[in-house]
Amino acid sequence: MSECVFCRIITGELPASFVYEDAIMCAFLDIQPINPGHLLVVPRIHADVMKALPREVARHMMEVAQQLMNGLREANLRCEGVNLFLADGEDAGQEVAHVHLHVIPRCKGDGFGFRFASDYGNQPQREELDKVAVAIREAMGET
Ligand SMILES: [Zn+2]
């Protein structure tokens, strides 16, 4: 028996309100929704973080999210915009160690949002931005 709550939902051991299912992906409602219609797109295979997820599965996750976004806009729900959010790693706010993409319907005044907790985002110099870009490019093997 899996310890992973999403694997247990996928096998039917735990309940969920499903909105989408295919051979490699499913989507169901978040039980702690930001707004009505807050969905999670979840690959059927267990991968704890994005690095462990096959590229074609990651690609399909975005395709399913796009379909769900269309569904949210057509459904009889308040949905004036949509946020996609993926927390990769505990320090990024990932609470279930099975990759999942949040699809969050948004409406004016719902009170949800990101906030800057440090001063770093306050217009760093170009030199600093270029230095960071080089570090990431080199780590990716891009020249
Ligand atoms: Zn899992």
Side-chain angles (χ1 to χ4, degrees):
M1 189 173 71
S2 176
E3 299 274 307
C4 172
V5 66
F6 287 170
C7 284
R8 294 173 73 186
I9 286 172
I10 288 163
T11 60
E13 191 185 326
L14 293 175
S17 298
F18 283 88
V19 170
Y20 178 89
E21 289 186 81
D22 66 26
I24 58 174
M25 202 68 57
C26 63
F28 46 83
L29 287 165
D30 194 315
I31 58 167
Q32 292 179 298
I34 301 228
N35 281 321
H38 179 168
L39 292 159
L40 304 175
V41 187
V42 184
R44 288 190 184 278
I45 58 165
H46 181 89
D48 58 347
V49 290
M50 283 296 280
K51 190 178 180 183
L53 195 67
R55 183 175 288 199
E56 64 276 10
V57 178
R59 182 185 302 126
H60 188 52
M61 189 163 60
M62 188 58 78
E63 290 168 345
V64 171
Q66 185 185 36
Q67 278 181 260
L68 294 169
M69 291 168 76
N70 294 339
L72 283 171
R73 288 177 184 276
E74 297 301 321
N76 189 23
L77 295 166
R78 275 198 77 188
C79 180
E80 292 150 19
V82 179
N83 281 139
L84 299 182
F85 178 70
L86 192 150
D88 197 53
E90 205 174 326
D91 290 328
Q94 185 176 6
E95 291 178 347
V96 176
H98 180 136
V99 169
H100 54 287
L101 177 62
H102 294 261
V103 180
I104 308 168
R106 299 294 312 278
C107 50
K108 261 186 201 69
D110 65 13
F112 181 68
F114 291 104
R115 64 181 166 77
F116 282 100
S118 75
D119 292 332
Y120 183 74
N122 191 17
Q123 296 188 321
Q125 297 298 306
R126 177 61 52 200
E127 192 177 275
E128 163 69 5
L129 294 173
D130 286 344
K131 197 174 79 183
V132 172
V134 166
I136 298 168
R137 274 204 313 269
E138 284 177 358
M140 292 171 63
E142 302 283 327
T143 52

